Amino acid sequence: VHNPPRRFPAVNEYDWGAKSGDMNDRGVVVAKDDEIGYMIVDKPAGLPVHGTVDNVLENVAAAVGRSLLESRETALRQKLANRGKLGRDEEIFDMTNSTKRKRKRGKQKKEPLVYISNPQRLDQNTSGLFVLSTKKEFASYFAKLLRKKTDLQLADDTRTDCAVHKTYRCLVCVSPGRADAANGGRTISATDELARLRRYAEEGSTVRHWLEPSIRAPKTFAAVQGNSSWAECLLKVRQVGDAFPVVGSEAANNLSSTLWEEKGSKPPECVAVVEVEIELLTGRTHQIRGQMSAEGFPLVADIGYGGALPTPPIPVGSSSVTKSIKVPEKLALQCCQLEFIEPKYHLNKKDELVGVPSDKWRTFRLERAFWTPMLEDYSTSTCTANAGVAEATFSRSDEKNAQQLKTTVPNGDADADAGDERNTLRGPLPQRVRLSPGKNKYVVIEAKSRSGEMLQFVRSASPSECGGQYHADIARDIVKKLALLGYSCSVTGGGRIDYVAPHAHVYGFSYGFGKGDHELVAKIIEKQSDDETYATFDDADDLY
C-alpha cells in the first residue's frame, strides 16, 4: 500500500534551533535543558507534531531532530578537528547513520546521536507551547505526570497539587440566540452570552462534558454520559477578556475578514469574539474545541465544531486536472502557559535511570497569540481621534450597562395602571413612540404595571441626543422614568431605524440587548405614532 504524502512545507520556514524571537522571528525555541532532557518550543499553527506513515519529515519532532543532529555533528567535527586524532579509548562516531558506538562489556551498543520524542500531543492546527524530550528518561517522566494529573482531577476536580498545569488561550465566537420557547420567548443578546461565559470564571466552576469513544472527527461531547465507555472531560475557564465585534462597523468588518481568511467562512450568527483562558484538567482529544462548542462558544475558524463554515477546495493545476487541496484552518487556540515540576534522576533496582519529582517548578508563558495584533488593530482604529461615535458597537462598559438595564423594578410607591395615560403622583406617561430623523440605533422596552397590563415603548436617538453611542444610552432615560411611574421594565431588544418621515425602516440588532422583534416594532410605530408614519422591516441576520 502506497500512501500519497501529506506535505507541510511551512515547516521549513522556521529555524528549529533558534530562540523564539530570534532569526527575524523564525526562531521557535522557548527553553532548552540538555541535562534534564527537554525542549520547549512555540509551535506554529498548521504543523503536525509527530511523524505518520504519510509524513515522516515535515513535522515538528523531525524538524527539531534534524536541527539538533546538525548542531551536534558540527560540534563533534569541530572537536575532532581540534584534537587532530582519536585515542584508542575515545568514543567512535559514525556520521553516516547518526549513531554513536560505545564499548560495553566487550560488545558494541549502538545508540542514536540524537533522541527526540513528544510525550504530549498538540493538534495540528493548534499553536503554542509544546514539550519535546531529548532524553527518554524525561519522556517517561513527563508522560507519567500527564496521566497522573488526569487521574487525580477525575477523582477530585478541586485539586491544585498536580505536578503539571497547562493553560490555553483561545478566541471564541459569541452568537446570540433568537427568542424561542426554549428561553421563554426572550431574545438572547451578546451581553447575555458574555455574562454566562464570565460566570464560569467568576465562580471557578468546572465545565464538565462526556466524550463519546470514536476514531472519527469531529467528536461528540455531551452534557450527559451516554454509557460507561464515554470519557469524562473537565476544564476551568480562568479568564474572559473584552469582546470585539465582528459586524457593525468598518473596523469590525476588517477584523472579521482577518480572522476568517476564507471569504464567506464566518458563521452568520457570530457577532463578536472574545479571548478566553482555559485550564485543562483532563487531556482528551479535541477537548477544548468540543467542550466550548457544546457550551455555545465555538473557536474562531474551527470548521469541525461550528466556528467556521466550510469553503470549496482550491483547484490545483490545469482545468483538466480534478485534484484539489483544502487549506487547513488556522485555529484560534494556543497553549499559552505550561508549568511542571522538573525531575531529578536516580538509578532504580534494575540499574535504570528514572525521574522523580524534585522541588523545582518551571513555568513558561506566551503573552501574545497570532491573533493579538488583529485585536490591537481593531482597538487602534476605533480609538483614533477621528473615529465617529456612530461607528461604536460594543464595549465592556456597554456590556455592564446593558445588564443593569435588562430588567428594572418599580422605583417608589406609585401604583401605575396601564390604562391610565397619566399618573398624578409622578407625571404623564412617556410618549409610546419617539423617532429621531436619520439612521439611528433603537430599543424596544416592555413595561408592566402593577395591575399586570403591558405597554411597549420604542425609542431611536442619535448619540448627541441620548448622551452616548450605545443602545443602553438610549434606554436609560425612559427606563428610569417608567420605573418612577411604578412600572417594571424590560429592554427586549434593539437594532436600528432609518427614519425619513413619513417612512421608518427597522433592521439590525443590538449587542447589548439582542435583536428586537422588528415586525412587532414596525406595527407599534404605525399604531402609536402621532402622525401618518408607515413602517417596514428587514429581519436579515447580517445587518447591523
Side-chain angles (χ1 to χ4, degrees):
V1 176
H2 297 277
N3 294 285
R6 289 193 306 152
R7 296 298 309 276
F8 297 91
V11 75
N12 301 310
E13 298 176 5
Y14 302 94
D15 188 331
W16 297 93
K19 289 190 64 176
S20 179
D22 292 350
M23 301 294 293
N24 297 321
D25 291 332
R26 293 177 59 239
V28 297
V29 179
V30 176
K32 183 169 67 170
D33 192 317
D34 293 332
E35 183 179 351
I36 300 296
Y38 67 82
M39 177 184 290
I40 311 295
V41 299
D42 181 4
K43 186 189 94 66
L47 300 180
V49 297
H50 58 84
T52 56
V53 68
D54 54 0
N55 175 27
V56 177
L57 299 177
E58 292 178 339
N59 58 78
V60 172
V64 171
R66 289 193 296 272
S67 177
L68 288 177
L69 180 61
E70 181 180 349
S71 63
R72 291 186 183 180
E73 286 184 343
T74 300
L76 286 171
R77 287 192 177 96
Q78 184 64 43
K79 185 177 180 181
L80 293 178
N82 292 338
R83 288 186 176 181
K85 64 178 182 177
L86 289 173
R88 291 184 59 185
D89 296 327
E90 298 290 339
E91 294 178 344
I92 302 173
F93 295 93
D94 181 358
M95 300 300 183
T96 60
N97 59 16
S98 303
T99 61
K100 63 180 179 180
R101 304 175 188 272
K102 284 187 177 181
R103 296 185 179 277
K104 185 177 180 182
R105 297 178 184 175
K107 295 182 180 180
Q108 283 191 339
K109 182 181 179 182
K110 227 175 190 181
E111 295 183 355
L113 185 59
V114 170
Y115 175 87
I116 283 290
S117 70
N118 42 309
Q120 67 165 117
R121 293 288 186 267
L122 206 59
D123 286 349
Q124 173 182 314
N125 296 321
T126 304
S127 59
L129 298 171
F130 180 68
V131 179
L132 289 158
S133 304
T134 56
K135 283 185 177 181
K136 60 183 179 181
E137 293 83 10
F138 182 83
S140 175
Y141 169 79
F142 196 79
K144 189 180 296 183
L145 289 189
L146 295 175
R147 290 194 301 270
K148 187 175 181 181
K149 176 182 175 65
T150 295
D151 294 339
L152 291 175
Q153 300 284 201
L154 288 173
D156 181 2
D157 59 32
T158 63
R159 294 189 66 146
T160 59
D161 58 346
C162 299
V164 60
H165 301 284
K166 291 193 293 182
T167 303
Y168 288 76
R169 178 186 291 123
C170 57
L171 200 64
V172 302
C173 300
V174 180
S175 306
R178 288 181 174 273
D180 55 31
N183 53 51
R186 186 173 66 87
T187 298
I188 303 300
S189 69
T191 296
D192 293 324
E193 291 294 83
L194 287 166
R196 181 166 66 90
L197 185 58
R198 294 191 195 284
R199 277 197 294 272
Y200 289 131
E202 293 165 358
E203 298 172 359
S205 55
T206 300
V207 182
R208 187 186 312 269
H209 290 89
W210 302 88
L211 172 62
E212 180 183 19
S214 172
I215 61 172
R216 300 181 182 275
K219 308 293 185 182
T220 299
F221 291 80
V224 179
Q225 185 177 18
N227 56 53
S228 59
S229 67
W230 289 43
E232 190 174 5
C233 305
L234 306 175
L235 61 79
K236 286 182 181 288
V237 176
R238 293 301 188 189
Q239 185 175 321
V240 180
D242 292 334
F244 291 81
V246 290
V247 294
S249 68
E250 182 179 356
N253 294 334
N254 290 339
L255 176 60
S256 173
S257 61
T258 307
L259 291 173
W260 287 272
E261 296 177 350
E262 295 295 314
K263 186 176 181 180
S265 62
K266 184 185 80 67
E269 64 274 10
C270 175
V271 300
V273 296
V274 62
E275 189 175 273
V276 181
E277 285 198 11
I278 293 170
E279 181 185 357
L280 270 184
L281 304 186
T282 55
R284 311 296 189 193
T285 303
H286 295 183
Q287 182 175 334
I288 293 178
R289 299 167 62 187
Q291 284 198 264
M292 294 306 290
S293 178
E295 287 297 305
F297 301 99
L299 272 59
V300 168
D302 191 351
I303 295 175
Y305 292 92
L309 300 179
T311 54
I314 300 174
V316 177
S318 64
S319 57
S320 62
V321 179
T322 58
K323 290 183 179 180
S324 63
I325 61 172
K326 184 72 182 71
V327 178
E329 65 265 28
K330 192 174 184 180
L331 288 183
L333 177 61
Q334 177 199 58
C335 181
C336 65
Q337 184 164 309
L338 177 66
E339 302 172 90
F340 63 88
I341 297 179
E342 274 192 349
K344 56 183 179 181
Y345 296 117
H346 69 92
L347 293 174
N348 62 12
K349 294 180 180 179
K350 296 181 180 180
D351 203 28
E352 298 171 333
L353 196 64
V354 295
V356 296
S358 66
D359 57 358
K360 184 179 180 181
W361 276 92
R362 293 303 307 270
T363 300
F364 308 95
R365 183 171 175 85
L366 301 175
E367 296 299 337
R368 296 171 67 83
F370 74 80
W371 62 83
T372 304
M374 306 175 192
L375 303 184
E376 291 174 342
D377 287 345
Y378 172 87
S379 299
T380 300
S381 63
T382 56
C383 293
T384 57
N386 296 325
V389 291
E391 285 290 293
T393 52
F394 195 60
S395 68
R396 182 70 73 94
S397 62
D398 179 47
E399 183 184 338
K400 181 179 179 181
N401 292 335
Q403 281 295 103
Q404 293 174 343
L405 289 169
K406 282 284 183 180
T407 302
T408 305
V409 297
N411 185 9
D413 56 0
D415 189 10
D417 190 294
D420 296 335
E421 289 298 313
R422 176 182 296 271
N423 181 286
T424 56
L425 295 178
R426 301 291 182 176
L429 198 65
Q431 189 178 356
R432 300 283 291 278
V433 174
R434 191 170 69 203
L435 307 179
S436 291
K439 295 181 180 180
N440 296 297
K441 295 177 180 178
Y442 91 87
V443 293
V444 56
I445 298 107
E446 191 173 80
K448 181 179 180 181
S449 71
R450 289 190 174 122
S451 61
E453 296 186 71
M454 306 293 295
L455 295 175
Q456 282 86 28
F457 296 82
V458 176
R459 289 288 185 274
S460 76
S462 66
S464 60
E465 291 174 316
C466 64
Q469 63 264 49
Y470 301 114
H471 287 86
D473 298 308
I474 301 172
R476 185 177 293 106
D477 286 344
I478 186 171
V479 167
K480 182 179 179 180
K481 176 66 174 176
L482 290 169
L484 288 171
L485 290 172
Y487 286 88
S488 297
C489 300
S490 176
V491 183
T492 59
R496 292 182 185 255
I497 294 178
D498 185 1
Y499 178 51
V500 180
H503 176 222
H505 183 63
V506 188
Y507 65 99
F509 67 92
S510 164
Y511 278 97
F513 300 114
K515 188 175 183 177
D517 187 338
H518 299 332
E519 182 178 7
L520 174 63
V521 170
K523 291 178 180 178
I524 294 173
I525 291 173
E526 291 185 343
K527 182 178 180 181
Q528 298 295 335
S529 295
D530 296 334
D531 51 21
E532 296 299 320
T533 299
Y534 70 97
T536 58
F537 68 94
D538 189 337
D539 215 27
D541 290 328
D542 58 348
L543 297 175
Y544 178 77

